Amino acid sequence: MKYGAFGLVEVLGDANAVLVADQMLKAADVVYETKDTKCGGHALVFVSGSVSAVKAAVESVKIDSPCKIFNSAVISNPSDEMVEIVEEFKRRYNK
């Protein structure tokens, strides 16, 4: 699958991940892809869309954050390897 960009936002806890995902989905024309939970309860939320939409979505939670944002990133034109990583997270989470 081809993606224009991925947006990643790291928060603490699943409830905060839901809040962040909701805000990003409302802020721009992005698609929720998956989340990955790391040790310590940190959750990494992934969205995709055009580069401009993903940037707007990620910026929306950085500017008006519903919770503490630990890290965020926008990956434009992701490599095949990055796409495979996100697809693996989706498979793991959706089992």
Side-chain angles (χ1 to χ4, degrees):
M1 181 174 252
K2 185 73 175 159
Y3 295 95
F6 285 129
L8 298 76
V9 177
E10 181 184 2
V11 297
L12 184 61
D14 285 342
N16 286 332
V18 170
L19 292 174
V20 164
D22 180 61
Q23 185 169 329
M24 287 194 291
L25 291 169
K26 290 175 180 174
D29 186 20
V30 295
V31 175
Y32 171 80
E33 292 296 336
T34 191
K35 75 171 181 65
D36 186 52
T37 303
K38 302 187 318 184
C39 101
H42 287 247
L44 191 57
V45 179
F46 291 82
V47 296
S48 67
S50 69
V51 174
S52 59
V54 169
K55 282 182 179 179
V58 171
E59 282 300 311
S60 78
V61 295
K62 288 171 62 178
I63 291 169
D64 184 24
S65 178
C67 60
K68 181 176 180 182
I69 305 296
F70 288 88
N71 288 299
S72 66
V74 173
I75 302 172
S76 59
N77 191 25
S79 67
D80 291 340
E81 292 83 2
M82 186 69 232
V83 170
E84 183 54 36
I85 289 168
V86 173
E87 294 296 327
E88 179 58 33
F89 285 160
K90 288 168 69 171
R91 285 189 292 273
R92 187 172 23 167
Y93 185 70
N94 292 327
K95 285 186 178 180

